[in-house]
């Protein structure tokens, strides 16, 4: 089966930066996704990486290294509304999407 | 609003009941999915439909029965469930099941199911 690991919880202060790491071992690779999920709500798409490097979208950036099976999601200038669960998901050679268990980020004032 | 609507949002059912979860997508997508989300566990893919045909069935017990009457609607019929089936059931859709253009999956708000 596929193996996707990310930390369970992280806490940071408003205005700070937090980096959520994701490592994966999958049969083949066809892209990595990050989703944000607020409690009781649907996961919403944040970013997609298929080539190595950094993708920046406003306060959020996502990095991928395919050779290392590694990605991170960087959240800058943290706001209280960024408190949520962040899900790393990898699409394998059969285009099946497998998810990590999610990282709960708590932003403190 | 993600373009994927699920009903009901909350459902409590007994182990002998028969109920159904409904999903509708307004995005013109060809693929629809059912995922199960339990506390502190990864999202588990249950079923995948592409153009109304089931293309994936991840060893899901037969007490869960999907139905896809057209590319916009997806149902999950529930019968004789167990308490451990209590979870958030998420419906999702994407343009296709393959990897073209990233093929982002869009999720509904989910249906919270409690089996008593």
């Amino acid at each position: 089966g596929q193996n996707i690991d990310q930390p369970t919880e992280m806490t940071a202060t408003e205005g700070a930066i937090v980096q959520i790491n994701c490592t994966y071992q999958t049969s083949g690779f066809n892209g990595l996704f990050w989703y944000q999920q607020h409690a009781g709500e649907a996961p919403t798409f944040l970013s997609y990486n298929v080539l190595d490097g950094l993708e920046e979208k406003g306060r959020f950036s996502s990095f991928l290294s395919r050779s290392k099976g590694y990605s991170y999601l960087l959240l800058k200038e943290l706001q209280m509304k960024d408190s949520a669960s962040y899900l790393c998901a990898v699409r394998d050679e059969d285009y099946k999407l497998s998810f990590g268990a999610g990282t709960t980020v708590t932003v403190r004032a | 609003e993600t373009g994927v609507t699920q009903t009901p949002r909350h459902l409590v059912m007994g182990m002998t009941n028969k109920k159904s979860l409904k999903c509708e997508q307004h995005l013109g997508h060809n693929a629809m999915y059912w995922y199960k989300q339990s506390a502190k566990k990864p999202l588990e893919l249950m079923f995948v439909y592409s153009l109304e045909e089931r293309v994936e069935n991840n060893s899901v017990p037969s007490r869960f029965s999907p139905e896809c009457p057209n590319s916009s609607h997806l149902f999950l019929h529930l019968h004789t469930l167990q308490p451990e089936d209590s979870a958030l059931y998420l419906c999702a859709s994407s343009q296709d099941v393959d990897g073209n253009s990233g093929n982002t999956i869009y999720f509904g708000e989910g249906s919270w199911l409690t089996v008593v």
Side-chain angles (χ1 to χ4, degrees), chain B residues 21-110:
Chain B
L21 305 180
K22 178 183 175 183
C23 176
E24 182 175 0
Q25 57 98 357
H26 313 275
L27 301 168
H29 288 165
N30 296 320
M32 295 189 76
Y33 311 77
W34 279 115
Y35 282 87
K36 176 183 178 182
Q37 188 174 36
S38 303
K40 305 299 181 187
K41 289 186 179 179
L43 279 164
E44 300 172 45
L45 179 64
M46 299 176 73
F47 300 104
V48 181
Y49 276 82
S50 176
L51 296 169
E52 303 137 51
E53 284 194 30
R54 193 190 308 180
V55 297
E56 187 81 38
N57 176 355
N58 269 4
S59 303
V60 179
S62 59
R63 56 186 185 268
F64 295 93
S65 173
E67 179 190 358
C68 187
N70 55 63
S71 59
S72 299
H73 293 85
L74 186 65
F75 294 89
L76 188 63
H77 302 301
L78 314 170
H79 178 46
T80 60
L81 295 192
Q82 304 298 311
E84 58 265 28
D85 297 323
S86 298
L88 177 66
Y89 288 85
L90 288 163
C91 176
S93 73
S94 64
Q95 186 59 54
D96 296 290
V97 294
D98 62 22
N100 290 335
S101 302
N103 201 23
T104 301
I105 288 182
Y106 296 90
F107 288 89
E109 301 278 352

Side-chain angles (χ1 to χ4, degrees), chain A residues 17-104:
Chain A
I17 297 173
V18 71
Q19 178 175 314
I20 307 170
N21 296 323
C22 173
T23 58
Y24 62 89
Q25 291 173 304
T26 56
S27 49
F29 178 82
N30 275 300
L32 185 144
F33 296 79
W34 284 97
Y35 283 84
Q36 179 191 59
Q37 186 177 23
H38 286 101
E41 297 183 13
T44 54
F45 170 75
L46 286 180
S47 69
Y48 169 71
N49 294 72
V50 67
L51 299 176
D52 290 351
L54 188 68
E55 294 282 341
E56 296 188 79
K57 263 190 190 180
R59 293 188 299 113
F60 293 2
S61 304
S62 57
F63 172 83
L64 174 67
S65 169
R66 288 171 296 171
S67 62
K68 294 181 180 176
Y70 168 70
S71 172
Y72 67 73
L73 180 69
L74 194 69
L75 315 180
K76 294 181 274 191
E77 301 167 22
L78 278 173
Q79 301 175 10
M80 300 299 289
K81 66 178 182 180
D82 298 329
S83 292
S85 182
Y86 292 85
L87 310 177
C88 175
V90 178
R91 178 168 274 135
D92 66 18
E93 60 190 0
D94 296 321
Y95 298 103
K96 191 186 301 184
L97 195 63
S98 296
F99 284 82
T103 300
T104 299

Side-chain angles (χ1 to χ4, degrees), chain A residues 3-17:
Chain A
N3 192 30
I4 299 169
D5 289 317
Q6 51 183 130
T8 304
E9 294 179 335
M10 301 183 76
T11 302
T13 306
E14 198 173 13
I17 297 173

